[in-house]
């Protein structure tokens, strides 16, 4: 699937970058890396924030968004 620069958090209702999502996860504002969707109003593709839940010292790659299903064709 593809990588994205922003996603809509279902927990906060905000459009976030993966870096912002990671910071909110550390602050315990966000609790689930799988609770994101596409920022396009016509698309509800599920998105995950990979590596967000790994401890900072164990990350080989910074957190990033990726789709787990196809985007809407609209």
């Amino acid at each position: 699937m593809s990588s994205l620069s922003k996603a809509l958090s279902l927990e906060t209702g905000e459009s976030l970058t993966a870096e912002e999502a990671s910071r909110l996860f550390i602050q315990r504002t966000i609790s689930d890396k799988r609770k994101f969707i596409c920022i396009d109003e016509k698309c509800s593709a599920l998105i995950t924030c990979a590596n967000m839940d790994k401890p900072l010292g164990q990350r080989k790659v910074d957190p990033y968004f990726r789709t787990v299903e196809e985007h809407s064709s609209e």
Side-chain angles (χ1 to χ4, degrees):
M1 297 289 162
S2 62
S3 179
L4 304 165
S5 60
K6 285 194 168 193
L8 179 65
S9 168
L10 296 174
E11 294 181 286
T12 67
E14 298 175 281
S15 178
L16 303 170
T17 64
E19 182 179 293
E20 292 167 333
S22 177
R23 185 174 57 249
L24 291 175
F25 181 79
I26 291 168
Q27 295 172 352
R28 299 184 188 271
T29 302
I30 291 175
S31 63
D32 191 337
K33 70 180 185 178
R34 296 173 300 254
K35 291 194 176 182
F36 295 91
I37 59 171
C38 182
I39 60 173
D40 188 326
E41 291 178 5
K42 297 178 184 176
C43 182
S44 60
L46 298 176
I47 296 172
T48 189
C49 190
N51 294 332
M52 179 178 83
D53 56 344
K54 290 187 179 177
L56 290 173
Q58 295 179 8
R59 294 178 182 172
K60 293 181 182 179
V61 177
D62 288 336
Y64 61 96
F65 289 121
R66 72 180 168 152
T67 58
V68 293
E69 62 184 16
E70 294 295 322
H71 285 280
S72 170
S73 59
E74 295 180 21

